[in-house]
Amino acid sequence: MATLTGQMEQNLAGTVALAVAGDEAAFARIIRAHHDDMTRVCFVICGDLDVADEAVQAAWPIVWRKLGSLRDPARLRPWLVSVAANEARQLIRRRRRRSVVELAVGEPATSSVDPAARMADLDLANALARLDPDDRALLALRYVAGFDSTELARATGRSPSGTRARLARLLDRLRSELRDD
Amino acid sequence: MTDRLDFETRLEERLRARAALASRPFDAAGIARQVVAGHGRRRGFGRLEWPSTRPALGRLVVALLLAIALLGAIAGIGALLLERPPLPPAAVSNGWIAYSTDGRTPGSTDTTIGSDIYLVREGVKPRLIAGRDGGKIRNVCPAFSPDGHRLAYGIDGGAGRVLVVLGVDPDAVITDTVRIPVPGPGSTVCPRWASDSQRVAHLDRGIVVVRGLDGSTPAGVAGDPQVADFGLEREFPDPLLSPGRDLIARLSSSGNDCQIVVARPDGTAAHVIPLSFCPFAMPAWSPDGRQVLLLEDVSGRDFTMHAIGVDSPLEVTIVSMVRTNGPRSWPGWGDVTWQPVYR
């Protein structure tokens, strides 16, 4: 297992090094592995599939330009997701699109056919829409991307404990809004 | 608490399910081709199609701003070095560094497997001075007294809360131990020293409780710690005041680049110290006011402690690869203290 993990790390480092050197195929491998994760996180932040796509598309050129500054290839995923999340936040702030706050109209098709579950999905979407983009980013990075508090702190520029406190306040608010008592 | 955890679990499931709606097929090779073709690294990002005068004007403005910033920085550093009162020679030097392997409050840690306190200094292997007793107790919040002769810390464990004060000589020999029980179930005891080094204080339900070293509870006097000294509201970017109160240092980052900004307390004469790594905390100044300590996450579970000179190119590793108690449990401000040694 240790050898396998070592090989995976070596492969990742090799892929990043190749991409830094300008290898398009290596860059495509990185995109293939992470584009979906980035889109999911951006969707939770933006609440709109098109805006999420746009954010991720804006993130890739930044990644291409700055990949050489990534010191530890093992941190590639959190770094990529952070870049995309940041683009999503910026995009939302720039646009202030109405669709971001009126989610019920433009909701993507949900997999749930149960009316109660569908209502719960809409409640969640509306609760998310009422949050500040920074708070949605915090939730997306924590629960969708699975960041730990150190990664969250790095992505948000706060201390790990400050991040936890903010997350706790956010959970309390959502719990109250979603009436989960 | 269980309800809260249940809610968090359900929320995570719902958010993931919602996020999954965004999954769509994509053409990785096509995106890569487009990015590489459109944004060669050596060219100005997306600038080639712009009218030629605008980038030139933009570059001129940027160059001017950079020149002004550079002059300001040079003047700032010069002023800082020239106008900073010289330190009294050998008035205070830097002794041992004490650190806990855990965050100072239960709220800043995800695990309860106990924690240790070590003493360390550059080039010397860390010495365990307070062990976790097989995971039963947390040893937290080490704080050297202002005179450097004592180290106080808090214990939280099965036997309740205790405030411990150790006598520590310059060779890190423990000369005596005082254990002061803290009644009641409250939060973990985090001691702060009075300026006379004869009394320690801790918070109890938001109120400062002062304790004499004999365990007494005297009335508060001038020089005793205030609530603000416990740093409950402290955030990552908050500046840290030097022991001489003549400088502040704060961490700053832009993208992947991290730096320390050192300035006078009023923000003037700022200069930037670029870092080769991105720390997650700056817990303390050195007692001589010439270095700051930085903590770097090196693996997701381990941290390394560096000392960085604020007016010199000094950069040394104090201790490396210290295992934390869990991936979400990290020491920070209040969990690391540097012993002043007076001659």
Side-chain angles (χ1 to χ4, degrees):
Chain A
M1 179 60 84
T3 310
L4 186 63
T5 309
Q7 278 174 354
M8 285 165 64
E9 282 172 2
Q10 214 167 15
N11 288 344
L12 179 61
T15 303
V16 171
L18 282 171
V20 169
D23 186 325
E24 187 180 309
F27 190 53
R29 284 201 293 280
I30 292 174
I31 294 174
R32 196 168 295 118
H34 298 285
H35 186 88
D36 195 46
D37 271 359
M38 292 158 72
T39 309
R40 288 171 185 234
V41 166
C42 288
F43 174 56
V44 171
I45 297 170
C46 301
D48 181 299
L49 281 175
D50 292 334
V51 184
D53 272 344
E54 199 175 323
V56 180
Q57 279 172 22
W60 283 121
I62 295 169
V63 169
W64 173 247
R65 276 188 301 144
K66 294 191 172 177
L67 196 55
S69 64
L70 179 69
R71 295 189 187 95
D72 180 3
R75 291 188 184 153
L76 177 65
R77 181 180 177 275
W79 181 66
L80 292 174
V81 172
S82 298
V83 171
N86 197 40
E87 280 306 297
R89 284 167 49 236
Q90 306 272 4
L91 208 53
I92 290 291
R93 290 198 186 286
R94 281 200 297 268
R95 291 187 165 206
R96 297 283 179 194
R97 281 168 60 131
R98 290 178 64 79
S99 57
V100 173
V101 291
E102 293 174 5
L103 283 169
V105 178
E107 274 291 273
T110 170
S111 54
S112 172
V113 290
D114 174 6
R118 169 73 178 152
M119 284 308 294
D121 287 344
L122 281 176
D123 284 347
L124 176 63
N126 287 324
L128 289 173
R130 285 191 290 273
L131 297 177
D132 181 85
D134 287 352
D135 286 339
R136 288 200 295 269
L138 193 61
L139 286 174
L141 293 173
R142 173 70 189 93
Y143 297 113
V144 178
F147 277 25
D148 62 34
S149 51
T150 306
E151 290 166 335
L152 280 179
R154 197 174 281 131
T156 59
R158 286 167 169 258
S159 67
S161 51
T163 308
R164 270 188 292 276
R166 189 172 165 198
L167 199 54
R169 285 196 293 271
L170 202 48
L171 286 178
D172 284 345
R173 177 177 165 182
L174 279 176
R175 192 177 175 195
S176 156
E177 290 197 7
L178 295 171
R179 294 182 184 84
D180 189 291
D181 295 321
Chain B
M1 178 60 85
T2 308
D3 287 348
R4 191 172 174 153
L5 287 175
D6 285 348
F7 172 68
E8 193 173 0
T9 306
R10 285 196 301 278
L11 180 67
E12 180 165 6
E13 286 168 1
R14 289 171 68 180
L15 280 170
R16 283 177 183 264
R18 177 169 174 74
L21 300 174
S23 284
R24 290 194 283 198
F26 60 93
D27 174 12
I31 297 171
R33 193 163 47 247
Q34 204 175 353
V35 169
V36 173
H39 306 287
R41 289 198 184 105
R42 296 193 171 195
R43 297 174 182 178
F45 175 53
R47 295 270 170 89
L48 290 180
E49 296 165 12
W50 285 56
S52 59
T53 52
R54 287 196 176 193
L57 189 63
R59 277 196 293 272
L60 184 64
V61 171
V62 169
L64 273 173
L65 288 174
L66 281 175
I68 291 167
L70 187 63
L71 283 172
I74 290 168
I77 294 169
L80 197 64
L81 296 179
L82 287 174
E83 293 179 24
R84 190 179 177 199
L87 288 168
V92 58
S93 58
N94 305 328
W96 294 83
I97 295 163
Y99 64 90
S100 170
T101 55
D102 201 356
R104 65 198 149 120
T105 61
S108 63
T109 176
D110 290 347
T111 53
T112 51
I113 57 170
S115 55
D116 309 311
I117 291 177
Y118 290 87
L119 285 178
V120 69
R121 64 191 308 167
E122 184 192 350
V124 179
K125 201 175 160 190
R127 298 180 187 175
L128 178 67
I129 55 163
R132 65 185 69 189
D133 191 17
K136 291 183 209 147
I137 59 174
R138 298 175 71 234
N139 297 288
V140 293
C141 305
F144 274 111
S145 58
D147 64 8
H149 295 320
R150 295 185 178 85
L151 177 74
Y153 63 92
I155 293 180
D156 196 7
R161 301 184 297 163
V162 180
L163 198 160
V164 179
V165 179
L166 304 177
V168 184
D169 77 4
D171 296 319
V173 174
I174 306 300
T175 53
D176 57 280
T177 303
V178 176
R179 294 171 64 88
I180 305 172
V182 176
S187 56
T188 305
V189 173
C190 249
R192 291 286 174 268
W193 283 92
S195 56
D196 64 1
S197 296
Q198 297 302 312
R199 299 132 65 91
V200 283
H202 61 87
L203 279 183
D204 207 350
R205 288 182 283 271
I207 298 189
V208 177
V209 178
V210 181
R211 307 296 295 265
L213 298 186
D214 57 359
S216 60
T217 309
V221 296
D224 284 343
Q226 306 295 308
V227 172
D229 297 323
F230 291 85
L232 297 179
E233 301 298 324
R234 196 172 171 78
E235 296 278 0
F236 175 82
D238 290 347
L240 202 58
L241 188 62
S242 68
R245 310 184 81 81
D246 57 341
L247 291 177
I248 53 170
R250 68 177 170 82
L251 290 172
S252 160
S253 65
S254 53
N256 279 329
D257 300 318
C258 293
Q259 52 265 328
I260 305 169
V261 180
V262 180
R264 292 204 192 94
D266 62 3
T268 59
H271 76 277
V272 172
I273 303 167
L275 298 170
S276 57
F277 59 93
C278 280
F280 65 84
M282 179 167 58
W285 278 83
S286 62
D288 68 2
R290 313 297 291 265
Q291 302 167 44
V292 288
L293 289 176
L294 300 178
L295 302 178
E296 179 195 12
D297 171 6
V298 286
S299 68
R301 281 295 300 269
D302 308 271
F303 67 85
T304 287
M305 188 188 301
H306 306 265
I308 305 288
V310 296
D311 54 5
S312 70
L314 174 104
E315 179 173 341
V316 295
T317 300
I318 301 295
V319 61
S320 60
M321 295 299 285
V322 180
R323 178 50 59 107
T324 62
N325 288 5
R328 297 187 201 172
S329 168
W330 300 86
W333 183 88
D335 307 312
V336 181
T337 178
W338 205 330
Q339 180 188 30
V341 177
Y342 293 90
R343 298 203 176 112

